[in-house]
Amino acid sequence: MTEYRIEKDSMGEMQVPKHALWGASTARAVANFPVSGMTGSSLPDLIRAYGYLKKACALANRDVKALDPKIADAIARAADEMIEGKHNKEFVVDVFQAGAGTSINMNANEVLATRGMQIAAGGGQELKINPNDHVNYGQSTNDTFPTVLHLSALLAFPRLDAGLKAVQDACEKKGREWARVIKSGRTHLQDAVPITLGQEFMSWRNCIRHVRQTLKEAADKLLELALGGSAIGSGLNTADGYRPVAYDYLRKFTGLPVREPEDPFEAVNSRWAFLHFSGAIRTAAVELTRITNDIRLLSCGPTTGLDEFRLKPVQPGSSIMPGKINPSNPECMNQLLYQVLGNDHTVYLCAMAGQLDLNVMMPTMCCTTLWSMNWLANFLPKFAEDSVLGCTLNAERCQNYFETSQALVTVLNPIIGYANAAKIAKETLTTGKTPKQLIREHGILTPEQEKKYYDIDYLTKRYPQAGFDG
């Protein structure tokens, strides 16, 4: 049976579980927003960002003599525990909550106040630490939540980038392995001039490389923070000299080159930088969807599909058809990517919903983006392993597509003209003969010309491919 204590806030008394570090404001939020069952504890990067932020603010206020050094140090020590993840379970407010993030900001303030007092008591000091007057001194949800919004995404970013790098490296490895596996290209889902399987995989590699660069450039915009603006950007109730010191501490603690805002009012009221970052994630998801779909197409079969390569079998594909193997890994990736795209649309709507001097939709922007980043970071390495590195070549099928594709007659254009080449192409369909057979029958090319025009390098390597010398 849960034991309770009574805590008070500006609205009155609330029952709080006896051993909880949070207090009355958090208890009200828990009661007010029984939405998803997913709480702040499910977003460790957000909690870590709050730890860095509150520690920096406490020590900055100490340094400018706005906060008792003993209180500031106790808060900082409690924040260190938050950064280490020791108090994640204390973040109990639903991710869908009141606007701007006031509830989760107070959740952090209350946890740090209670834990700070416990730490002080353990050292023989009796301190009274107030969540609002001390932990939140010189701050507002309106400048702290935009700050942790950016910081949490920056903290999560290396894991996302590592996942994308795993796919990039896997595509490059396959690209080099299959550099000389010639096959038919396809445009409009119809036969096209030849390409190598390695060139297709290397093109995916280069796409992911560019996507990663786009994300890095977008992440740079998140380094400009709102901290110091307090409620509206004016810095009301902040101590003289506090803001630059707080930024110095944030740079030291996080290792990130965060910077003060060019316009502190804009930094509070606009979420354009976060929308831009979410848009870069959307671009990644769009390109990953395209690549995933191509992998499913090229591996479909095995007897009635393209079957140019086969995916690593990871589980039985049917509860009724024995021996059936489905593209389970890329199917999972597709579903994940569709959710990521939906999450970006949510961010877009939330960013657009900013009104006057504040955007209050930040909690949803935060959780949806961190979900996308963490889910992708979790699954991309598995996708790279199973859907890219794990696939095996069907060389015979690729060679057959190359030899039988009517698009091979394209090399005849400079010799006999487009119209005559088109006649040969049509003849391949009516006779079932390959372009090479018909070319020999009609005596169109000499043996030397045939050797030249149907050489793999002549057909597929007119221009170099980035990162690929295969």
Side-chain angles (χ1 to χ4, degrees), residues 190-191 404-407 409 422-435 438:
Q190 306 296 309
D191 295 356
T404 59
S405 171
Q406 64 172 2
V409 302
K423 292 178 182 178
I424 301 295
K426 293 175 183 177
E427 195 173 346
T428 65
L429 297 179
T430 58
T431 65
K433 296 179 180 180
T434 69
L438 292 173

PDB file of all heavy atoms in Angstrom, residues 190-191 404-407 409 422-435 438:
ATOM      1  N   GLN A 190      10.887   0.031 -66.254  1.00  0.00           N
ATOM      2  CA  GLN A 190      11.089  -0.695 -67.511  1.00  0.00           C
ATOM      3  C   GLN A 190      12.594  -0.834 -67.756  1.00  0.00           C
ATOM      4  O   GLN A 190      13.405  -0.103 -67.184  1.00  0.00           O
ATOM      5  CB  GLN A 190      10.436   0.046 -68.679  1.00  0.00           C
ATOM      6  CG  GLN A 190       8.959   0.370 -68.482  1.00  0.00           C
ATOM      7  CD  GLN A 190       8.091  -0.865 -68.387  1.00  0.00           C
ATOM      8  OE1 GLN A 190       8.156  -1.751 -69.238  1.00  0.00           O
ATOM      9  NE2 GLN A 190       7.272  -0.938 -67.342  1.00  0.00           N
ATOM     10  N   ASP A 191      12.951  -1.769 -68.647  1.00  0.00           N
ATOM     11  CA  ASP A 191      14.368  -1.991 -68.952  1.00  0.00           C
ATOM     12  C   ASP A 191      15.038  -0.690 -69.390  1.00  0.00           C
ATOM     13  O   ASP A 191      14.472   0.109 -70.149  1.00  0.00           O
ATOM     14  CB  ASP A 191      14.514  -3.006 -70.077  1.00  0.00           C
ATOM     15  CG  ASP A 191      14.015  -4.393 -69.684  1.00  0.00           C
ATOM     16  OD1 ASP A 191      13.633  -4.567 -68.504  1.00  0.00           O
ATOM     17  OD2 ASP A 191      14.005  -5.282 -70.547  1.00  0.00           O
ATOM     18  N   THR A 404      19.617 -10.020 -72.050  1.00  0.00           N
ATOM     19  CA  THR A 404      18.320 -10.074 -72.742  1.00  0.00           C
ATOM     20  C   THR A 404      17.607  -8.730 -72.829  1.00  0.00           C
ATOM     21  O   THR A 404      16.627  -8.602 -73.561  1.00  0.00           O
ATOM     22  CB  THR A 404      17.382 -11.085 -72.042  1.00  0.00           C
ATOM     23  OG1 THR A 404      17.192 -10.689 -70.679  1.00  0.00           O
ATOM     24  CG2 THR A 404      17.978 -12.482 -72.073  1.00  0.00           C
ATOM     25  N   SER A 405      18.076  -7.727 -72.111  1.00  0.00           N
ATOM     26  CA  SER A 405      17.383  -6.435 -72.115  1.00  0.00           C
ATOM     27  C   SER A 405      17.442  -5.774 -73.483  1.00  0.00           C
ATOM     28  O   SER A 405      18.520  -5.609 -74.072  1.00  0.00           O
ATOM     29  CB  SER A 405      18.007  -5.499 -71.075  1.00  0.00           C
ATOM     30  OG  SER A 405      17.469  -4.194 -71.216  1.00  0.00           O
ATOM     31  N   GLN A 406      16.284  -5.368 -74.001  1.00  0.00           N
ATOM     32  CA  GLN A 406      16.238  -4.702 -75.300  1.00  0.00           C
ATOM     33  C   GLN A 406      16.955  -3.355 -75.262  1.00  0.00           C
ATOM     34  O   GLN A 406      17.347  -2.816 -76.308  1.00  0.00           O
ATOM     35  CB  GLN A 406      14.800  -4.503 -75.746  1.00  0.00           C
ATOM     36  CG  GLN A 406      13.992  -3.577 -74.847  1.00  0.00           C
ATOM     37  CD  GLN A 406      12.626  -3.256 -75.442  1.00  0.00           C
ATOM     38  OE1 GLN A 406      12.275  -3.748 -76.500  1.00  0.00           O
ATOM     39  NE2 GLN A 406      11.866  -2.428 -74.751  1.00  0.00           N
ATOM     40  N   ALA A 407      17.154  -2.821 -74.049  1.00  0.00           N
ATOM     41  CA  ALA A 407      17.820  -1.522 -73.944  1.00  0.00           C
ATOM     42  C   ALA A 407      19.272  -1.577 -74.390  1.00  0.00           C
ATOM     43  O   ALA A 407      19.892  -0.537 -74.631  1.00  0.00           O
ATOM     44  CB  ALA A 407      17.734  -1.006 -72.501  1.00  0.00           C
ATOM     45  N   VAL A 409      20.320  -2.258 -77.172  1.00  0.00           N
ATOM     46  CA  VAL A 409      20.463  -1.731 -78.539  1.00  0.00           C
ATOM     47  C   VAL A 409      20.772  -0.240 -78.534  1.00  0.00           C
ATOM     48  O   VAL A 409      21.098   0.327 -79.591  1.00  0.00           O
ATOM     49  CB  VAL A 409      19.193  -1.994 -79.386  1.00  0.00           C
ATOM     50  CG1 VAL A 409      18.890  -3.489 -79.441  1.00  0.00           C
ATOM     51  CG2 VAL A 409      17.991  -1.217 -78.871  1.00  0.00           C
ATOM     52  N   ALA A 422      15.664   1.057 -82.934  1.00  0.00           N
ATOM     53  CA  ALA A 422      14.351   0.718 -82.375  1.00  0.00           C
ATOM     54  C   ALA A 422      13.777  -0.529 -83.035  1.00  0.00           C
ATOM     55  O   ALA A 422      13.099  -1.343 -82.388  1.00  0.00           O
ATOM     56  CB  ALA A 422      13.393   1.888 -82.541  1.00  0.00           C
ATOM     57  N   LYS A 423      14.062  -0.707 -84.330  1.00  0.00           N
ATOM     58  CA  LYS A 423      13.586  -1.913 -85.020  1.00  0.00           C
ATOM     59  C   LYS A 423      14.215  -3.167 -84.428  1.00  0.00           C
ATOM     60  O   LYS A 423      13.559  -4.198 -84.251  1.00  0.00           O
ATOM     61  CB  LYS A 423      13.922  -1.823 -86.511  1.00  0.00           C
ATOM     62  CG  LYS A 423      13.137  -0.747 -87.266  1.00  0.00           C
ATOM     63  CD  LYS A 423      13.578  -0.687 -88.729  1.00  0.00           C
ATOM     64  CE  LYS A 423      12.838   0.424 -89.470  1.00  0.00           C
ATOM     65  NZ  LYS A 423      13.298   0.536 -90.880  1.00  0.00           N
ATOM     66  N   ILE A 424      15.496  -3.090 -84.117  1.00  0.00           N
ATOM     67  CA  ILE A 424      16.185  -4.226 -83.498  1.00  0.00           C
ATOM     68  C   ILE A 424      15.581  -4.506 -82.122  1.00  0.00           C
ATOM     69  O   ILE A 424      15.364  -5.666 -81.745  1.00  0.00           O
ATOM     70  CB  ILE A 424      17.692  -3.955 -83.378  1.00  0.00           C
ATOM     71  CG1 ILE A 424      18.314  -3.685 -84.741  1.00  0.00           C
ATOM     72  CG2 ILE A 424      18.403  -5.106 -82.677  1.00  0.00           C
ATOM     73  CD1 ILE A 424      18.257  -4.877 -85.675  1.00  0.00           C
ATOM     74  N   ALA A 425      15.284  -3.437 -81.393  1.00  0.00           N
ATOM     75  CA  ALA A 425      14.704  -3.608 -80.056  1.00  0.00           C
ATOM     76  C   ALA A 425      13.365  -4.332 -80.144  1.00  0.00           C
ATOM     77  O   ALA A 425      13.082  -5.249 -79.356  1.00  0.00           O
ATOM     78  CB  ALA A 425      14.541  -2.251 -79.376  1.00  0.00           C
ATOM     79  N   LYS A 426      12.538  -3.931 -81.093  1.00  0.00           N
ATOM     80  CA  LYS A 426      11.230  -4.570 -81.252  1.00  0.00           C
ATOM     81  C   LYS A 426      11.380  -6.031 -81.674  1.00  0.00           C
ATOM     82  O   LYS A 426      10.610  -6.901 -81.271  1.00  0.00           O
ATOM     83  CB  LYS A 426      10.384  -3.808 -82.268  1.00  0.00           C
ATOM     84  CG  LYS A 426       9.973  -2.414 -81.801  1.00  0.00           C
ATOM     85  CD  LYS A 426       9.248  -1.649 -82.898  1.00  0.00           C
ATOM     86  CE  LYS A 426       8.911  -0.232 -82.448  1.00  0.00           C
ATOM     87  NZ  LYS A 426       8.260   0.551 -83.523  1.00  0.00           N
ATOM     88  N   GLU A 427      12.400  -6.290 -82.477  1.00  0.00           N
ATOM     89  CA  GLU A 427      12.626  -7.648 -82.955  1.00  0.00           C
ATOM     90  C   GLU A 427      13.021  -8.579 -81.800  1.00  0.00           C
ATOM     91  O   GLU A 427      12.708  -9.765 -81.835  1.00  0.00           O
ATOM     92  CB  GLU A 427      13.708  -7.648 -84.030  1.00  0.00           C
ATOM     93  CG  GLU A 427      13.762  -8.947 -84.825  1.00  0.00           C
ATOM     94  CD  GLU A 427      14.736  -8.861 -85.992  1.00  0.00           C
ATOM     95  OE1 GLU A 427      15.163  -7.736 -86.348  1.00  0.00           O
ATOM     96  OE2 GLU A 427      15.078  -9.928 -86.547  1.00  0.00           O
ATOM     97  N   THR A 428      13.699  -8.018 -80.794  1.00  0.00           N
ATOM     98  CA  THR A 428      14.048  -8.860 -79.639  1.00  0.00           C
ATOM     99  C   THR A 428      12.785  -9.366 -78.954  1.00  0.00           C
ATOM    100  O   THR A 428      12.751 -10.501 -78.448  1.00  0.00           O
ATOM    101  CB  THR A 428      14.909  -8.086 -78.618  1.00  0.00           C
ATOM    102  OG1 THR A 428      14.153  -7.008 -78.052  1.00  0.00           O
ATOM    103  CG2 THR A 428      16.180  -7.550 -79.236  1.00  0.00           C
ATOM    104  N   LEU A 429      11.744  -8.546 -78.936  1.00  0.00           N
ATOM    105  CA  LEU A 429      10.504  -8.945 -78.266  1.00  0.00           C
ATOM    106  C   LEU A 429       9.716  -9.951 -79.097  1.00  0.00           C
ATOM    107  O   LEU A 429       9.088 -10.862 -78.559  1.00  0.00           O
ATOM    108  CB  LEU A 429       9.650  -7.706 -77.976  1.00  0.00           C
ATOM    109  CG  LEU A 429      10.254  -6.668 -77.017  1.00  0.00           C
ATOM    110  CD1 LEU A 429       9.293  -5.495 -76.845  1.00  0.00           C
ATOM    111  CD2 LEU A 429      10.567  -7.288 -75.669  1.00  0.00           C
ATOM    112  N   THR A 430       9.721  -9.780 -80.409  1.00  0.00           N
ATOM    113  CA  THR A 430       8.926 -10.682 -81.258  1.00  0.00           C
ATOM    114  C   THR A 430       9.609 -12.027 -81.484  1.00  0.00           C
ATOM    115  O   THR A 430       8.939 -13.050 -81.672  1.00  0.00           O
ATOM    116  CB  THR A 430       8.643 -10.022 -82.619  1.00  0.00           C
ATOM    117  OG1 THR A 430       9.888  -9.698 -83.249  1.00  0.00           O
ATOM    118  CG2 THR A 430       7.804  -8.768 -82.447  1.00  0.00           C
ATOM    119  N   THR A 431      10.944 -12.053 -81.467  1.00  0.00           N
ATOM    120  CA  THR A 431      11.668 -13.297 -81.747  1.00  0.00           C
ATOM    121  C   THR A 431      12.168 -14.002 -80.501  1.00  0.00           C
ATOM    122  O   THR A 431      12.467 -15.208 -80.547  1.00  0.00           O
ATOM    123  CB  THR A 431      12.880 -13.012 -82.647  1.00  0.00           C
ATOM    124  OG1 THR A 431      13.823 -12.184 -81.932  1.00  0.00           O
ATOM    125  CG2 THR A 431      12.462 -12.329 -83.931  1.00  0.00           C
ATOM    126  N   GLY A 432      12.282 -13.245 -79.403  1.00  0.00           N
ATOM    127  CA  GLY A 432      12.844 -13.825 -78.188  1.00  0.00           C
ATOM    128  C   GLY A 432      14.350 -13.934 -78.222  1.00  0.00           C
ATOM    129  O   GLY A 432      14.971 -14.485 -77.317  1.00  0.00           O
ATOM    130  N   LYS A 433      14.966 -13.392 -79.289  1.00  0.00           N
ATOM    131  CA  LYS A 433      16.417 -13.405 -79.385  1.00  0.00           C
ATOM    132  C   LYS A 433      17.015 -12.217 -78.631  1.00  0.00           C
ATOM    133  O   LYS A 433      16.380 -11.172 -78.491  1.00  0.00           O
ATOM    134  CB  LYS A 433      16.847 -13.371 -80.852  1.00  0.00           C
ATOM    135  CG  LYS A 433      16.425 -14.598 -81.637  1.00  0.00           C
ATOM    136  CD  LYS A 433      16.863 -14.500 -83.088  1.00  0.00           C
ATOM    137  CE  LYS A 433      16.431 -15.744 -83.875  1.00  0.00           C
ATOM    138  NZ  LYS A 433      16.844 -15.667 -85.296  1.00  0.00           N
ATOM    139  N   THR A 434      18.250 -12.360 -78.197  1.00  0.00           N
ATOM    140  CA  THR A 434      18.905 -11.274 -77.470  1.00  0.00           C
ATOM    141  C   THR A 434      19.389 -10.223 -78.457  1.00  0.00           C
ATOM    142  O   THR A 434      19.593 -10.519 -79.655  1.00  0.00           O
ATOM    143  CB  THR A 434      20.104 -11.784 -76.661  1.00  0.00           C
ATOM    144  OG1 THR A 434      21.142 -12.175 -77.570  1.00  0.00           O
ATOM    145  CG2 THR A 434      19.724 -12.945 -75.768  1.00  0.00           C
ATOM    146  N   PRO A 435      19.611  -8.985 -77.999  1.00  0.00           N
ATOM    147  CA  PRO A 435      20.153  -7.950 -78.881  1.00  0.00           C
ATOM    148  C   PRO A 435      21.460  -8.378 -79.544  1.00  0.00           C
ATOM    149  O   PRO A 435      21.667  -8.129 -80.740  1.00  0.00           O
ATOM    150  CB  PRO A 435      20.368  -6.769 -77.940  1.00  0.00           C
ATOM    151  CG  PRO A 435      19.317  -6.945 -76.897  1.00  0.00           C
ATOM    152  CD  PRO A 435      19.242  -8.424 -76.680  1.00  0.00           C
ATOM    153  N   LEU A 438      20.801 -10.750 -82.515  1.00  0.00           N
ATOM    154  CA  LEU A 438      20.268 -10.057 -83.687  1.00  0.00           C
ATOM    155  C   LEU A 438      21.325  -9.181 -84.343  1.00  0.00           C
ATOM    156  O   LEU A 438      21.384  -9.075 -85.588  1.00  0.00           O
ATOM    157  CB  LEU A 438      19.049  -9.230 -83.294  1.00  0.00           C
ATOM    158  CG  LEU A 438      17.809 -10.041 -82.889  1.00  0.00           C
ATOM    159  CD1 LEU A 438      16.725  -9.119 -82.364  1.00  0.00           C
ATOM    160  CD2 LEU A 438      17.285 -10.851 -84.082  1.00  0.00           C
TER     161      LEU A 438
END
